[in-house]
Amino acid sequence: MFIGALEFDLLLGDVHSLKEKRSVIRPILAELQKRFGVNAAEAGDQDLHRRALLGVAMVSAQTGHLNEVLDKCERHVAARPEIELLAVRRRIFGPED
């Protein structure tokens, strides 16, 4: 069993309140979960209006499939015009970890 995780550091566009931030973040999280079958959540910077830290996690029996899905998630988030992707961190945990 392998566990893969992505951490997205995002800069949001024209956002002036936490309510506006949620209206940008929620659809991204829902799309990731529905489209790619991963778990996704806002994992940090909840009190900042224009910054967000999103976490994505997935479990798979094969590292190839895991990396393929995580690559698709990364491309999907990077393609969003309303956000700027500042950094992505990827971690893969295997049986020996």
Side-chain angles (χ1 to χ4, degrees):
M1 175 177 70
F2 297 93
I3 301 166
L6 289 174
E7 207 175 63
F8 295 103
D9 188 5
L10 306 177
L11 178 65
L12 307 178
D14 191 28
V15 173
H16 302 289
S17 70
L18 294 176
K19 187 175 180 178
E20 288 179 18
K21 176 183 179 178
R22 282 191 306 274
S23 71
V24 172
I25 296 300
R26 279 187 184 162
I28 295 171
L29 295 175
E31 285 177 16
L32 288 169
Q33 291 171 345
K34 184 177 179 181
R35 191 169 182 187
F36 302 110
V38 296
N39 288 316
E42 185 177 1
D45 295 334
Q46 284 98 344
D47 57 341
L48 301 176
H49 295 176
R50 296 197 59 223
R51 294 292 295 269
L53 184 66
L54 304 185
V56 170
M58 180 184 171
V59 175
S60 179
Q62 302 170 347
T63 57
H65 176 67
L66 187 64
N67 280 311
E68 181 182 321
V69 173
L70 294 179
D71 287 343
K72 289 179 183 178
C73 289
E74 187 174 341
R75 284 192 299 269
H76 181 74
V77 171
R80 301 291 297 226
E82 70 273 20
I83 62 169
E84 181 180 340
L85 184 57
L86 299 176
V88 180
R89 287 174 282 293
R90 180 182 298 219
R91 296 185 191 126
I92 305 289
F93 303 97
E96 60 280 343
D97 292 326

